Amino acid sequence: MPLSPTGEIVLDARERKVGAGAFNVIQIEHAQAIVAGAEAAGRPVILQISENTVRYHGSLEPIGLATLAVARRAAVPVAVHLDHAETPELVHEAVELGFRSVMFDASTLPYEENVAATRAMTDRCHRHDVWVEAELGEVGGKDGAHAPGVRTDPDEARAFVAATGVDALAVAVGSSHAMLTRDAVLDLDLIARLREAVDVPLVLHGSSGVPDADLGRAVSAGMTKVNVATHLNKAFTGAVRTHLGENATTVDPRRYLGPARTAVAEAVTHLLQVLGAEAPLIRT
């Protein structure tokens, strides 16, 4: 199946009032697992590669081309997205490789500088028909770069979207990156006000720390693209630990990476089902 544009997946999800699952790729097993999980759920999916993962692999090209190849062989619509890119050079490389969307993260800059940098990047990407996500109101959990407790102001969000021309906006509403527990408390009222304030899809980062029921409520309140990374890494690592604990003589990585891939696929299927279900806004 041809690579799907991220914008089409996200806008279709928003129109149908469901969430669009976006899952981070660390290595090729993650990409394979995420696609397998999406196929089992019968849902579109977005594969994301972060700047941190690019550093791990030494460059974008090896993991980027592998992920694009996995996406093109999928039986469901799959998009490939660059996540949390802080340098224009990385964005340009992703566009050249064939990524259909990027998240340009200038949120650590003062507001006016964030606007200027994001506007310039959006203009350039749109010339290549590439969809652009940006961030306003830093999402917690990134050492030093993202301050926990920050919230996105709806009026500022409206002005930011108008000034930059971005296609989607990541907002800070109570989630935090790299959470190992699922007890984040989202401000559902703020999500609703942000949805009213801007005409582009909202993106929830740090979704691994949000329980299933509140993911559904976040989508009902106005979130569309939902990013998940740490939750999948927990499933992956847990399966590896279990296998090695039960098979102390294993030396072939395929023996433990296979179960880890299966565990991630099952987690993706479940989360896509959660994001595709209706949920009440009131906490129970």
Side-chain angles (χ1 to χ4, degrees):
M1 180 176 288
L3 196 67
S4 295
T6 303
E8 286 186 9
I9 291 176
V10 174
L11 291 173
D12 179 67
R14 186 172 69 163
E15 182 176 343
R16 294 189 296 114
K17 295 182 170 57
V18 298
F23 302 96
N24 280 61
V25 171
I26 306 296
Q27 54 197 30
I28 192 171
E29 284 82 6
H30 281 78
Q32 294 167 330
I34 294 163
V35 168
E39 289 175 338
R43 293 285 306 278
V45 75
I46 300 164
L47 304 180
Q48 304 193 142
I49 298 175
S50 70
E51 186 164 332
N52 286 337
T53 293
V54 171
R55 292 193 192 101
Y56 170 76
H57 287 281
S59 67
L60 176 60
E61 187 173 22
I63 187 63
L65 291 179
T67 301
L68 287 164
V70 171
R72 291 187 178 110
R73 292 177 61 86
V76 294
V78 180
V80 179
H81 175 74
L82 180 66
D83 186 37
H84 278 293
E86 297 183 6
T87 64
E89 293 77 15
L90 182 57
V91 173
H92 301 159
E93 182 181 3
V95 172
E96 290 175 1
L97 287 177
F99 284 47
R100 301 296 299 274
S101 66
V102 302
M103 186 224 177
F104 181 61
D105 185 359
S107 64
T108 60
L109 298 175
Y111 177 79
E112 294 300 335
E113 294 179 33
N114 185 357
V115 168
T118 303
R119 174 81 252 181
M121 185 57 61
T122 301
D123 287 346
R124 178 161 185 160
C125 286
H126 282 177
R127 288 197 293 272
H128 297 277
D129 197 26
V130 171
W131 190 85
V132 179
E133 174 187 331
E135 181 174 311
L136 180 67
E138 301 175 46
V139 180
K142 296 271 186 163
D143 295 339
H146 295 260
V150 173
R151 297 291 183 270
T152 302
D153 177 79
D155 291 334
E156 193 170 65
R158 182 186 297 109
F160 182 85
V161 169
T164 60
V166 295
D167 302 293
L169 186 66
V171 292
V173 293
S175 58
S176 181
H177 289 103
M179 284 187 68
L180 298 178
T181 57
R182 302 187 72 192
D183 53 7
V185 178
L186 299 181
D187 188 334
L188 298 176
D189 178 67
L190 176 58
I191 294 172
R193 288 189 289 122
L194 286 164
R195 178 66 186 88
E196 288 295 320
V198 302
D199 59 0
V200 300
L202 298 177
V203 184
L204 182 66
H205 285 230
S207 303
S208 293
V210 181
D212 286 353
D214 283 354
L215 286 177
R217 292 179 183 119
V219 171
S220 294
M223 281 291 172
T224 300
K225 181 171 176 278
V226 178
N227 291 10
V228 179
T230 300
H231 183 70
L232 301 189
N233 293 339
K234 284 178 61 181
F236 188 100
T237 304
V240 171
R241 285 197 177 107
T242 297
H243 180 90
L244 293 179
E246 296 172 351
N247 302 272
T249 61
T250 294
V251 295
D252 185 344
R254 290 169 293 188
R255 298 294 183 186
Y256 52 83
L257 292 179
R261 184 170 55 190
T262 298
V264 170
E266 291 172 351
V268 167
T269 298
H270 172 74
L271 287 170
L272 287 175
Q273 290 168 341
V274 169
L275 295 174
E278 293 184 3
L281 284 174
I282 300 173
R283 292 181 180 276
T284 59

